[in-house]
Every structure is written in C-alpha cells, then in structure tokens.
Amino acid sequence: MGLIGPMSPIRPISPIPSKKSCLLPLLPFNLIKMYSINPSKRLSIAEVGEILTKGTKLTLSDEAVRRIKRCREFLDDKIKTCDTPIYGITTGFGSLCNISIGPEDLSKLQENLVKSHACGCGELVKPEIVRIMLLTKVMSLSFGNSGVQLSTVQRLVDFFNEDVIPVVYQQGSLGASGDLAPLANMCLPLLGLGQVYYKGEIRPSAEVLAEKGWQPVTLVSKEGLALLNGTQFMSSHAVYAILQARRLSKLADKIGALSLDSYDGRIEPFGDEVNAVRPHPGQLETARAVRAHLEGSELIRQPKKHVQDPYSFRCMPQVHGAVKDTLAYVGSVIETEINSPTDNPTIFPDEDIIVSAGNFHGEPIAMPMDFLAVAMTELGSISERRIYKLISGSRGLPSFLVANPGLNSGFMIPQYAAASIVNQSKGLCWPTSCDTIPSSQGQEDHVSMGGNSATKLCRVVDNTERILAIELFNAAQALDLRRPLRTSPELEEWHAAYRRRVPFIINDTVMSPLIAESVEFIRENP
C-alpha cells in the first residue's frame, strides 16, 4: 500500500469513524485538565479512560525529562567510544543485524526504517485507539531506557494535545518485534509523511505540520527502532477493549436483571448463601449486583409457579462472574504492559549496559487478549439465550412479544440478528496467539500474532455491546407486557428513560434503527 507523501493527492479512503464512541464525549477545551507523564507513577487503565474522555492534555514530568535526556546523552557517548557493533544502532535490523552502518548514515538508517516498515493494510484504527497509542508510546519512552531525543517525545505529546491523530491500519503486526507496521504508520507524521486526522478530515501530515509551524523530526541513532519496536498497538487495543468490557460487564448485570424480572424469574439463585459456598469474586459481585438492581420489585416478589429457571437466568452469577474475574486478570496484565519500556535494545545508563533482548514480544498480552475475547463472547452468548427465552411464548408472555403474532413477526428476527453476531464472535475466539509464522529470514522465528488478538478482541467487544442492546430491546418490551406489575424503582426509571428513545412495539416496524438507538442508549445511560 503506497504511502502518502507531502505532495501527493489524498486518495479515496474510508470515512473517519463516527464521533459517537463507546467512550464518553470529549469536554470543551476550556475545561482541560493536565496529566503529567511520570515514569515513577503507575498509569492505570481507568486513568487512560479519564484522560481520553475529559479533554486532558499531557505534559512530561521533570523526572521523565531527566531520564530521557540522561539516556540520550549516554547513548551518544557510547556510540563515540564503543568499538563493537550495537544492534539496531550501528547495525541493520532483523536478519541484517550483522551489517554495520557508518556514523554518517545512522540518521538515514532510522528514517529508512520508519518508511520501509509502514506497511499497514486494511481498515483504519479508531482515532480514540490511536490516541491511546500516542499516550502509551510516550509513557514507554519516558522511562529513559530507549535512547530517544526529548524533542521527539515532545512532538508525540504535541500530536496528542493538538488532536493531530496519525492514520493507522488494523493489519500488519506480527506482535514481535513489537507492532512494527502500525507503529511505523503512527510515526510517519513525525517525519512529515503519511496522513493524520485533523479537524474532522484525513489530510497529508506535511500540510498539518506546516499549519502548526512544526518542522519534521530528524531522527538520530536508535530513534526509529525505539518508535517502532514496542507493543503500543496491541496494548492500546487491549486498553480500549477493557474500558468497554468493564462497562458492558456492569450493563450485562443490569440488563440481565431486567430480563429476569420480565421473564418472571426467581431471585433465590442470587442469594449470598448459595454463592458464598463457591466464593469466586466475580460470582459474588454479580449476584449482589442483580439483587441490588431488583430491590423493591413487585415482579420478583410475586409467587412463582415454576421451581427453577433456565441456565441463562439462574447461572448469571457463574457466567457473568467468570467474565469479571477474567477482566480483573487481563486488566492487571495490560496495566503492567503500559507501564513498561517495550522497545529493543534496552539501554541502562546507570549500569552502562545496552541489552538486545525481547521485551517487544507480545506473548504476555496476546494470550490474555485471546482469553478476554472468549469471556466477552460468553457474555454475548448467554445474553442471546435470554433473548430466545423472552420471545418463546412461555410464562404468560406472547410469542415474539407482540399481541397479534402471525400478522406480526414482532421480535422474531432481532433474536436471529443476535444469534448471528454470537456466531461471528465464536469464530473470532480461535486464539491467534497459538500461531506463529517465521519472519526476517528466520531471525524472528517465533512471533505472538498479538496484533490480531487485539483487533479481534475489539470486534468481539463491539459485538457483545450490540447483543446486550438487543436484549434490552426485548426485555423492555416484555416488561411492558407485564403491566400493571412493576419492576424495581431503579429499573423502572431506566426503562422510562429508554422508552423516551425506543417505543413499545405494537405492530411490525423497521427494527434496525431501533437496535441502533438501543446501542446508543446503553452507551449514554449505563
């Protein structure tokens, strides 16, 4: 795929993704907060979400500046005094590591690296994920183990703060040596190459840099490798997915509680006693959340004719809870990742060591991302089963949740749509981290494929959101068919807000816009 240079016309490209996002909308810039990048302070996934949603700008702490400068000065001195080759600094890359590069060509070596590695293909990465990539790359470089210029890191900060977002593609990363292709596309604009999102348009970066009065960065030794080696493409998708998955996990409890009540389900499986004897943290949390959502419900208190509910209802603590436990584990792994330098070689100025190792390898996060994709697929799968039960014509509810089935198909096909989405997610659950294809003439002979773990995880999370929105669409309809009985005050208020956006269905109508509106509702009303 050809690169867009400074004088090239903009070729047709996918439209910029909608400003509507699973993340909260950005605040006006007069309310901007500042976040100081400090390698001595751990950056949490929750803080990343806050930074993205509250119009926060970045600044480099004094500690970050000190470390970055110290490492660059050490590396400059080392290059002048060292007689032996240093991988990627005075040599070629990958299987070309045995070819030494003269001092006069070290800058050109790094520039060529960025250009040649910018091989991204396929769909565009969401701008909000690219913003996380910028943030986490700055965080990684701030530790002072990468040998970059302070001015280069500052330009990445400028991109983030001025909302100049590089165009990055979803395909191209093997997940070792890091995310070479997508990070190359992300860093092209530093050189005045490639494209950026800016003020609602995709434009050549050279134009935007000129408008800003920014000179293209001139890379020095090691910098291209520091920028391209790393796991920021993988880990940023993971951060985005975790932020959404945490929201959807809580929503699944709330929507599941509404479905349980609308289905005339039983509350006993959610008691503390039965869940405490198998005390997985997520199981207990789910049971308590569902009970809290149903506090004060007339429906849940009415006598039941049935002695037990289907698994999709009474096993919510076990299934939703397993998702919560998976999220907790994966979140801890990803937080470690975004608080680590992951390029190669790694430089230790105080110890006078430069080590060529493998901290760019994505395996530590690829496997957890595959695991989370499985968990989120299960959250969607059990939701679809509750949808199926709600339209089944049982427990006093009409077939397909309409008063006149036959003439009306009602909610028959939304369940089909949910089932189709579940099937796609199940197909995406095949772990890409169990595959490897050797590259670089066998020098890089085992890779993580974590880039594919990352992108499919985000697709599964988006799928799960749509399935839960369809469940809410069904559960709200079923609740209205139970009138005059009422659910809990909390869920009645939520249901009333939903009805202001999505009407009760009397006769058949076009369903797609209502499902889309349901998705927007759960994004805005968690």
Side-chain angles (χ1 to χ4, degrees), residues 123 170 424 428 455-464:
E123 298 176 40
Q170 291 191 15
Q424 184 183 76
L428 291 168
T455 54
K456 73 184 180 68
L457 168 59
C458 286
R459 193 176 296 274
V460 167
V461 170
D462 288 345
N463 282 351
T464 302

Side-chain angles (χ1 to χ4, degrees), residues 174 363 370 430-437 446-450 452:
L174 295 179
E363 204 75 78
D370 283 337
W430 179 260
T432 59
S433 59
C434 70
D435 184 33
T436 181
I437 299 175
H446 184 279
V447 299
S448 74
M449 297 298 179
N452 292 334

